[in-house]
Amino acid sequence: MTSVLVSGASVAGPTTASWLARAGHDVTVVERADSLRDEGQNIDVRGAAREVLRRMGLEETALAHGTGEQGTVFLGEGGRELARFPASSDDTTGPTAELEILRGRLGQLLFDHTEDDVAYRFGDQITALDQDPDGVDVTFASGTQERYDLVVLADGVNSRSRELVLPDAPRRYLGMVIAYLTIPRADDDTDWWRWYVAGRGRGVNLRPDDTGTQRAMLNLMTDVRGIDALDRDAQVTLLRRAFAGAGWQTDRILAELDDAPMYLEDLAQIHLDRWSVGRVVLTGDAAWCATPVSGIGTTLALTGAYTLAACLAAHDDHRAAFADYDARMRPFVEKGQSLPPGTPGLANPQTDLGRKLLGTALKLAASPVATKLGGIAGRFGNPPADEYELPAA
Ligand SMILES: Cc1cc2nc3c(=O)[nH]c(=O)nc-3n(C[C@H](O)[C@H](O)[C@H](O)COP(=O)(O)OP(=O)(O)OC[C@H]3O[C@@H](n4cnc5c(N)ncnc54)[C@H](O)[C@@H]3O)c2cc1C
């Protein structure tokens, strides 16, 4: 039996932990937050990741806990409908996937699934990793020191523990900030993802959930970096200024900014040419964040976590396992990270002309002919989630 420390209890962490525990390893998960985090919105589980949930016996439960989103409707000036894309009815396609679930809900399902087999430690984090050929000495913020055979870093795009082994990981910023909020549901809210194209690089979104609230999203194209590091008051002031007078339901969302649960992200991809250093290995967003606009981040996290555990099961030596994991995942990750040209700026246009062109493109993409051809924009809403074959468990 090997002792493994996993850092991060969202999607990739508990999934890796589950499969490693199932293979007989002694697994501990450390999470920086004091409890499971509930923030975030609808995420898509597509293609190969559906199969991972299936193999964990969780697919039906996840489907039963979906958000009930009926599809995506784009709105233009004055809230006028531009185009409508019903939810897909298969594993892979469409802006609204068949398996849409709140991120916090999926995290909870994965936690519940692993709670009996994995030791969870909340409110702590790794501060130092010292490895020798036989193991890794881990120091935690709490002051505890422990030795593990392997360490898996699954602690997201802003992983601080990654900095301990691969400092200054290159980030590819997309020039876009998203604020995710949970706000009260109004009587006239619908079960569609309503995406209002507000102009001046802004998008205002409302999405249904299965908890009786609405999930709001404010998209802002901006060259200013570091907004995610500002305190909440400064973020609120900035968002109020940027979205003032944007129209449609914007004022309703801005009115909730002071108190609503909020998670703000400055979209950046992580591109690393290696995902392991000795006995420490990365997975999920910490390794290869593709960003939410890829539509495949959670799918990559689930498949990567599963693949890592499968490779460790298939090889006696962790170096061979990590090389195998890299070789299997890298082509899939590269496809997932490669966004359609103009993403995300084209969908959040700055000018009136840009808004008009987007409206025309969306109408064409939603037309029956384009739907038959698989979408005029090619990859629009169709990330390559099924272009991966899972190894045996
Ligand atoms: C709060 C939150 C809300 C999100 N909302 C959305 C959304 O609305 N839409 C969307 O597409 N994607 C969202 N995401 C991102 C999405 O979950 C990921 O892209 C994807 O599921 C991959 O998951 P992951 O497990 O690799 O990383 P993440 O989901 O980012 O999880 C990383 C986990 O590690 C923990 N952590 C961070 N640093 C440390 C540390 N030093 N030590 C220990 N633990 C640490 C975090 O608290 C978190 O629980 C959100 C992520 C988070 C954390």
Side-chain angles (χ1 to χ4, degrees):
M1 185 192 272
T2 303
S3 63
V4 186
L5 175 69
V6 177
S7 177
S10 175
V11 175
T15 306
T16 318
S18 168
W19 288 97
L20 289 176
R22 198 155 149 168
H25 301 288
D26 181 6
V27 187
T28 302
V29 176
V30 61
E31 162 64 46
R32 189 176 59 179
D34 290 334
S35 56
L36 271 192
R37 297 180 66 175
D38 188 37
E39 311 104 292
Q41 314 204 338
N42 316 34
I43 47 162
D44 309 337
V45 178
R46 298 174 186 261
R50 284 278 292 266
E51 178 60 24
V52 172
L53 289 187
R54 218 167 278 152
R55 291 185 190 182
M56 294 173 84
L58 287 177
E59 188 191 26
E60 289 308 316
T61 319
L63 279 168
H65 286 87
T67 58
E69 189 169 282
Q70 302 288 304
T72 307
V73 57
F74 287 87
L75 309 170
E77 236 166 310
R80 190 173 31 85
E81 179 168 331
L82 296 171
R84 189 172 278 264
F85 300 86
S88 91
S89 54
D90 60 35
D91 273 13
T92 305
T93 57
T96 296
E98 187 192 21
L99 206 170
E100 290 268 343
I101 184 169
L102 291 177
R103 191 206 62 86
R105 180 83 77 191
L106 179 61
Q108 184 72 52
L109 289 181
L110 293 166
F111 173 78
D112 293 347
H113 184 71
T114 46
E115 200 184 2
D116 293 341
D117 309 318
V118 170
Y120 278 90
R121 194 182 296 166
F122 287 94
D124 207 355
Q125 60 182 304
I126 300 169
T127 54
L129 292 167
D130 296 302
Q131 45 178 321
D132 56 48
D134 299 323
V136 191
D137 291 314
V138 182
T139 309
F140 295 90
S142 58
T144 315
Q145 288 191 322
E146 284 163 10
R147 188 169 171 83
Y148 291 90
D149 295 313
L150 298 172
V151 174
V152 179
L153 305 181
D155 39 24
V157 59
N158 295 315
S159 167
R160 283 191 212 150
S161 51
R162 181 183 58 219
E163 292 295 307
L164 301 171
V165 285
L166 290 168
D168 305 319
R171 278 167 189 265
R172 199 170 291 168
Y173 285 100
L174 301 190
M176 181 182 182
V177 167
I178 303 180
Y180 304 92
L181 297 125
T182 307
I183 66 168
R185 191 178 166 106
D187 288 344
D188 57 352
D189 280 333
T190 72
D191 285 335
W192 283 73
W193 174 0
R194 289 173 291 164
W195 179 333
Y196 169 58
V197 182
R200 291 181 26 210
R202 300 167 301 182
V204 179
N205 301 258
L206 284 171
R207 303 181 74 173
D209 63 22
D210 57 329
T211 61
T213 50
Q214 281 272 296
R215 306 287 161 146
M217 229 155 76
L218 298 172
N219 309 346
L220 179 65
M221 299 300 298
T222 173
D223 294 333
V224 179
R225 304 275 68 80
I227 297 173
D228 53 335
L230 297 175
D231 64 28
R232 168 88 182 229
D233 286 349
Q235 289 176 349
V236 165
T237 304
L238 189 144
L239 290 169
R240 286 215 165 102
R241 262 193 215 139
F243 283 87
W248 189 57
Q249 305 227 14
T250 310
D251 287 349
R252 166 188 171 197
I253 299 167
L254 295 184
E256 300 291 339
L257 270 178
D258 289 322
D259 302 318
M262 179 168 103
Y263 171 73
L264 186 141
E265 184 179 10
D266 187 3
L267 271 55
Q269 293 192 333
I270 300 291
H271 292 261
L272 289 166
D273 53 17
R274 58 193 299 201
W275 293 325
S276 62
V277 177
R279 291 175 169 271
V280 180
V281 63
L282 280 69
T283 196
D285 276 8
W288 53 60
C289 180
T291 75
V293 296
S294 71
I296 200 172
T298 302
T299 294
L300 290 176
L302 284 163
T303 50
Y306 169 91
T307 301
L308 174 58
C311 291
L312 281 165
H315 300 273
D316 291 333
D317 180 57
H318 67 275
R319 284 162 296 202
F322 293 167
D324 191 6
Y325 162 64
D326 195 307
R328 286 176 186 276
M329 282 305 294
R330 199 161 285 276
F332 189 38
V333 166
E334 283 172 0
K335 275 186 210 157
Q337 287 187 321
S338 114
L339 302 174
T343 306
L346 284 181
N348 298 282
Q350 298 283 353
T351 62
D352 287 345
L353 178 63
R355 266 174 118 180
K356 279 201 183 95
L357 289 174
L358 175 65
T360 308
L362 287 169
K363 276 179 200 142
L364 280 170
S367 69
V369 178
T371 309
K372 245 187 209 156
L373 292 173
I376 194 164
R379 263 206 44 194
F380 174 70
N382 298 324
D386 54 355
E387 295 179 25
Y388 182 67
E389 200 168 321
L390 293 171

